[in-house]
Amino acid sequence: MITTGLRKGEVSNLRNRKMDECVLVVDDDREIVRAIALLLEKEGYRVLKAYDGMEALRILGEQSVQLIIMDVMMPKLDGLSAMMKIRERKNLPIIVLSAKTEDTDKILGLSMGADDYVSKPFHPQELAARVKSQLRRYTMLGGIHAQHEEDEIVNGRLCYRLQERTLYADGEPVKLTATETKIMELLMKNRGRIFPAEEIYERVWEEPSFAPENTVMVHIRHIREKIELNPKEPEYIKVVWGIGYKMEKK
């Protein structure tokens, strides 16, 4: 007889807890979706299925989901574009699933907000282990409960309250201008993702960009002076040379 080290009641509680955790699997290959769903259901998770990015966004608007496994190449809305839209509203873990194995593709996926990257073909038990790891980390950080609140984004010393539209550093409110607030909201909602200056300008100023580098740079410098312990060696808003800016995950 194989023992797990858990009593019968503990095993039951563990299974019940898993059934409260829902994974959304998104891939235009229905056989892959079916295989992953069977794998995760055997592990005790509840699984939802989508076959393109648009369907994934619709399901996320209707269902409570704790983790997403997302393919990159899909019709209607590709995985990276869908992930960008998801990151505007939610901070749940996303595992990117892709046939692309080049390091540059992995870096791109991770920089745009993915928490993990698995290349096809994948080993089923490896994928299951990565799902468990991400969900455990998410739960330990209070992500499941925070998903229902969706009012505070906490990143190290920083806390951005969405309803107030106020940034706090070490518990004290930071006096930001309206434009600086918009920039911080964008970066805090998309921690780890690299934004070119052009995209920051178009999102914040809501108009087409024309040589926006200096304008964005000046606002970033002012923000750093207000939130960084040492603005000359920032730990939060980082420059990725030749690409843009990002909010470092803490």
Side-chain angles (χ1 to χ4, degrees):
M1 179 179 177
I2 299 174
T3 176
T4 63
L6 297 173
R7 292 190 293 273
K8 184 176 180 181
E10 292 173 326
V11 172
S12 176
N13 289 338
L14 179 60
R15 182 171 294 277
N16 289 337
R17 187 165 70 248
K18 275 190 174 183
M19 288 304 293
D20 290 335
E21 295 173 336
C22 180
V23 178
L24 173 60
V25 182
V26 192
D27 197 310
D28 60 331
D29 188 324
R30 291 176 179 264
E31 285 302 310
I32 289 179
V33 172
R34 178 176 174 274
I36 294 175
L38 288 173
L39 170 69
L40 297 181
E41 285 167 354
K42 285 181 181 178
E43 294 289 332
Y45 299 106
R46 186 164 63 91
V47 179
L48 298 175
K49 305 170 186 176
Y51 304 102
D52 60 67
M54 294 298 293
E55 188 177 8
L57 293 178
R58 178 185 60 77
I59 291 173
L60 283 172
E62 299 171 353
Q63 301 280 344
S64 176
V65 173
Q66 281 71 54
L67 181 141
I68 303 172
I69 298 174
M70 178 92 71
D71 184 35
V72 172
M73 302 300 293
M74 294 186 295
K76 296 184 181 179
L77 186 67
D78 67 85
L80 296 181
S81 298
M83 183 167 61
M84 288 167 56
K85 291 183 178 294
I86 292 166
R87 281 287 177 250
E88 291 176 4
R89 297 176 295 156
K90 297 181 182 293
N91 194 35
L92 72 170
I94 300 175
I95 298 176
V96 168
L97 191 66
S98 176
K100 296 182 178 181
T101 56
E102 295 293 330
D103 286 341
T104 52
D105 295 317
K106 294 181 181 180
I107 292 169
L108 178 62
L110 294 170
S111 69
M112 292 180 71
D115 296 278
D116 204 350
Y117 194 108
V118 177
S119 299
K120 299 177 184 176
F122 56 87
H123 192 286
Q125 294 308 314
E126 179 189 355
L127 179 60
R130 288 175 182 267
V131 168
K132 290 177 186 176
S133 174
Q134 289 295 332
L135 282 171
R136 182 168 60 248
R137 179 172 173 269
Y138 183 55
T139 304
M140 287 175 63
L141 292 174
I144 290 176
H145 301 295
Q147 181 180 349
H148 297 292
E149 296 172 7
E150 291 189 348
D151 182 47
E152 286 189 357
I153 303 172
V154 178
N155 191 36
R157 297 171 35 249
L158 305 180
C159 173
Y160 184 74
R161 294 182 182 169
L162 293 165
Q163 291 187 0
E164 295 180 17
R165 299 199 71 186
T166 303
L167 179 74
Y168 292 81
D170 298 316
E172 296 295 326
V174 180
K175 293 182 179 180
L176 300 175
T177 67
T179 299
E180 291 167 356
T181 297
K182 287 182 179 180
I183 293 173
M184 282 303 296
E185 181 169 313
L186 176 66
L187 296 178
M188 287 288 282
K189 282 182 175 179
N190 298 275
R191 297 178 302 288
R193 189 194 151 192
I194 303 169
F195 284 93
E198 293 84 355
E199 185 175 355
I200 293 175
Y201 188 92
E202 289 175 359
R203 285 191 178 222
V204 171
W205 278 265
E206 298 180 356
E207 62 184 29
S209 62
F210 179 73
E213 290 82 5
N214 287 339
T215 301
V216 173
M217 181 181 65
V218 168
H219 283 81
I220 293 291
R221 187 177 74 241
H222 290 164
I223 294 171
R224 281 175 170 165
E225 290 170 354
K226 297 176 182 181
I227 69 169
E228 300 283 3
L229 296 177
N230 182 357
K232 293 183 179 179
E233 296 182 8
E235 58 176 322
Y236 286 97
I237 302 181
K238 297 289 187 73
V239 172
V240 181
W241 295 110
I243 304 178
Y245 301 91
K246 72 171 181 175
M247 171 63 69
E248 195 75 32
K249 288 184 179 181
K250 296 293 181 180

